[in-house]
Amino acid sequence: MVLAMILAAAVLLSNQSLRLGLDLRGGHQLSARVSSSDPEVVITAADLDGVKNVIQRRIDGLGLAQTRIHTVGSDRVVVQLPTAQPSREGDTEAEAVVDNTLQQVASQITEKAILQFGVLRPAEVDRYATLLQQRRNANIAVLRGQQQLEQLLRSRSDSEQISAVREELEVSQAAFDQLEQNIGQLFDLRPLTGDDLVQVVAGPNLESQGEYYELNLTFSSDGARAFADLTKEVAAAPDLRLAILLDGRSISEATVGSEFRENGITGGGARITGTFTLEQARELEVQLRGGSLPYDTEIVEQRSVGATLGSDNVRRSLRAALVGLALVSGLMVVIYRLPGLVAVAALAIYALFNLAVYALVPVVLTLPGIAGLVLSFGMAVDANVLIFERIREELRSGRKLYQAVETGFSRAFNSIFDGSVTTLIGCLALGYLGSGLVRGFAITLGIGVGLSLFTSLVCSKTLLKTGLFLYPTLRQIKYFQPVQ
């Protein structure tokens, strides 16, 4: 089993790279200016912090780890995030991943995400039908552009051709957005807004057989009553439409059946349907969950940033960690002889398992995270020390070698387990109450402590007993403790 786990960890690391944090790898920085459309409004420091908190919730909802967000001056919010750097120049696939990530983040920063509900004005029914057809045609153009761009990226075409298609797609998307804005102007707004939501969940639209996605909304008690009144109004006339508007753009319209004329749609739930892709539905879900931005935000700067610690500091830190591990390994071999050599081998397996878990979860590795990893190495060695001292005690009491090994591992278990549990409790507290780099330290230390239980109690025992079974010459007391 141990051998199978080692092979699986090695294969995983060979196929999946580790994610490094902003301090080790660098990334991108986006600066946004916060302003108000009303020139008489003065944005205070508290207002700026409110904008920062909304952006923080939205970006956290995207699942981007180790993102740093802070305010600068009286009107700036700066977002720094680690991004994958292309391994070589012209790597269009890696560049596309970075561009997509930056576009998602920019969308979360700049879109207010003010959700409103409206009713189509009776005089605009014909105008609505015309704009609806134009929007369908524009949506087809957007979908074709997206498919063409994906094909070019997969075939790794030249960058000029990709740039040309991307520009055409941006023009088509802008035309589609403008049509949604024009349609939104045909509706009269009602009191129901995004403030009345208590839950938003994105999921597949079963009516489209999974081709498109939808948003399921749950309203508060007041919102449920307002939605029932709204649908009751729309159900009164067959030509009326109910629209769901986001920042003034109509993202979905629907009719309401005549059976709801008396009471409207009750139950406190609604669906936003349309031609949403999974990514679009997920972005809307994040925006609505994070809340609307109270002020206008505009990206004024976007640039790459280097590793915040600098490459020299990173190399020195890693060198210090390796030197420390080498000294500990040497000391274990000198003091404990054969068991010390087994502990060093188990430590190497432990390091492999740690890195494999980091790649699998995935964990964004920062310098504090590396510190947590190195600290967990020390705890793994400490567990082996407890076991080997127990084995020595059993040998001194006159037990045979195999009995001493079995008894040493079994009697050391309680001490090792109790120590690991108390450390994990501290890691949980740091991870829950801390943030950013502190949380990264807690995560790597917690993973290391959990794995150290397995490697010290299972891997060390397996290696030691296997060595004694395969090589009878090792079954001598002098390889376990100095001869008295």
Side-chain angles (χ1 to χ4, degrees):
M1 182 187 71
V2 174
L3 181 59
M5 293 181 66
I6 293 173
L7 292 175
V11 170
L12 178 64
L13 285 175
S14 63
N15 294 327
Q16 194 167 347
S17 59
L18 295 173
R19 295 176 61 185
L20 301 180
L22 194 66
D23 54 350
L24 298 179
R25 181 183 60 189
H28 283 78
Q29 174 177 296
L30 291 85
S31 299
R33 180 190 293 119
V34 180
S35 60
S36 173
S37 56
D38 186 350
E40 297 183 359
V41 173
V42 178
I43 299 176
T44 64
D47 295 333
L48 197 61
D49 283 337
V51 172
K52 186 200 76 171
N53 292 335
V54 172
I55 294 174
Q56 180 77 66
R57 289 195 298 269
R58 290 184 177 185
I59 293 180
D60 287 346
L62 292 176
L64 298 176
Q66 297 298 330
T67 300
R68 300 180 186 176
I69 304 176
H70 59 276
T71 60
V72 176
S74 60
D75 65 346
R76 297 292 176 95
V77 176
V78 176
V79 178
Q80 294 179 323
L81 64 153
T83 51
Q85 301 297 331
S87 57
R88 63 184 184 279
E89 189 175 354
D91 190 347
T92 55
E93 188 173 352
E95 292 174 354
V97 171
V98 174
D99 289 342
N100 183 57
T101 301
L102 294 176
Q103 288 175 7
Q104 286 183 335
V105 173
S107 174
Q108 300 299 335
I109 293 174
T110 57
E111 293 191 10
K112 281 189 171 183
I114 298 176
L115 189 70
Q116 298 170 303
F117 294 79
V119 177
L120 179 66
R121 291 190 289 272
E124 303 289 1
V125 172
D126 294 337
R127 173 68 173 159
Y128 168 73
T130 301
L131 291 177
L132 184 62
Q133 184 59 47
Q134 293 177 1
R135 186 176 65 177
R136 288 172 181 163
N137 296 335
N139 185 55
I140 292 173
V142 170
L143 293 176
R144 286 177 178 172
Q146 291 174 344
Q147 293 173 356
Q148 187 177 2
L149 182 60
E150 290 176 2
Q151 291 174 356
L152 291 175
L153 292 173
R154 282 197 297 266
S155 61
R156 298 188 176 181
S157 303
D158 62 272
S159 57
E160 292 184 0
Q161 188 176 6
I162 292 176
S163 298
V165 172
R166 185 174 280 128
E167 289 178 2
E168 292 179 3
L169 178 59
E170 290 176 355
V171 172
S172 300
Q173 186 65 56
F176 179 81
D177 292 342
Q178 184 59 52
L179 285 168
E180 285 192 330
Q181 193 81 30
N182 295 341
I183 292 175
Q185 295 172 358
L186 306 180
F187 290 77
D188 289 329
L189 299 179
R190 294 297 183 263
L192 185 63
T193 67
D195 294 335
D196 297 304
L197 293 175
V198 294
Q199 188 177 25
V200 183
V201 179
N205 185 343
L206 300 180
E207 296 172 0
S208 67
Q209 297 181 344
E211 183 179 0
Y212 300 116
Y213 287 77
E214 65 183 19
L215 290 172
N216 295 290
L217 311 179
T218 303
F219 297 105
S220 63
S221 56
D222 291 338
R225 286 192 292 269
F227 185 70
D229 293 339
L230 176 61
T231 51
K232 179 180 177 181
E233 177 187 355
V234 176
D239 291 334
L240 292 184
R241 295 290 187 276
L242 164 67
I244 301 176
L245 299 96
L246 186 71
D247 294 340
R249 295 183 295 109
S250 178
I251 60 175
S252 182
E253 306 93 35
T255 59
V256 179
S258 58
E259 65 271 22
F260 298 105
R261 285 183 179 179
E262 292 187 7
N263 300 317
I265 298 177
T266 58
R271 293 191 306 155
I272 303 179
T273 59
T275 57
F276 302 124
T277 63
L278 173 59
E279 183 178 293
Q280 290 170 336
R282 178 71 179 130
E283 285 188 10
L284 285 174
E285 176 189 17
V286 169
Q287 288 174 356
L288 295 179
R289 279 186 173 182
S292 60
L293 287 170
Y295 298 101
D296 297 326
T297 53
E298 176 190 7
I299 302 293
V300 294
E301 183 187 31
Q302 177 179 314
R303 61 186 177 90
S304 300
V305 293
T308 56
L309 291 176
S311 57
D312 289 340
N313 287 331
V314 173
R315 281 195 296 268
R316 290 174 184 173
S317 301
L318 293 176
R319 190 183 303 119
L322 292 175
V323 169
L325 291 175
L327 291 174
V328 170
S329 300
L331 192 63
M332 289 292 293
V333 173
V334 170
I335 295 177
Y336 293 101
R337 300 194 174 190
L338 178 61
L341 190 61
V342 170
V344 173
L347 204 60
I349 297 173
Y350 169 76
L352 179 66
F353 287 170
N354 262 285
L355 296 178
V357 171
Y358 294 166
L360 185 64
V361 171
V363 173
V364 178
L365 200 57
T366 62
L367 195 62
I370 294 176
L373 173 62
V374 174
L375 182 58
S376 67
F377 274 118
M379 299 191 67
V381 171
D382 183 58
N384 282 281
V385 168
L386 290 174
I387 294 170
F388 299 153
E389 284 296 334
R390 280 287 187 179
I391 293 175
R392 281 187 170 183
E393 290 178 6
E394 298 301 321
L395 289 173
R396 290 192 192 103
S397 66
R399 288 185 182 272
K400 293 182 179 180
L401 185 57
Y402 273 108
Q403 291 178 335
V405 170
E406 287 288 346
T407 307
F409 275 94
S410 62
R411 289 190 174 180
F413 172 79
N414 289 337
S415 299
I416 295 171
F417 183 78
D418 291 345
S420 299
V421 169
T422 54
T423 306
L424 285 174
I425 292 173
C427 292
L428 288 174
L430 283 175
Y432 181 75
L433 299 175
S435 61
L437 300 179
V438 174
R439 182 172 295 170
F441 171 81
I443 290 173
T444 54
L445 180 58
I447 291 173
V449 171
L451 288 174
S452 69
L453 274 174
F454 175 77
T455 54
S456 60
L457 297 173
V458 177
C459 295
S460 295
K461 185 177 182 179
T462 301
L463 291 173
L464 186 57
K465 295 182 70 174
T466 301
L468 293 176
F469 176 77
L470 296 177
Y471 302 99
T473 56
L474 298 178
R475 302 171 193 170
Q476 300 181 46
I477 300 300
K478 66 179 183 180
Y479 293 126
F480 287 80
Q481 65 179 10
V483 179
Q484 300 296 326

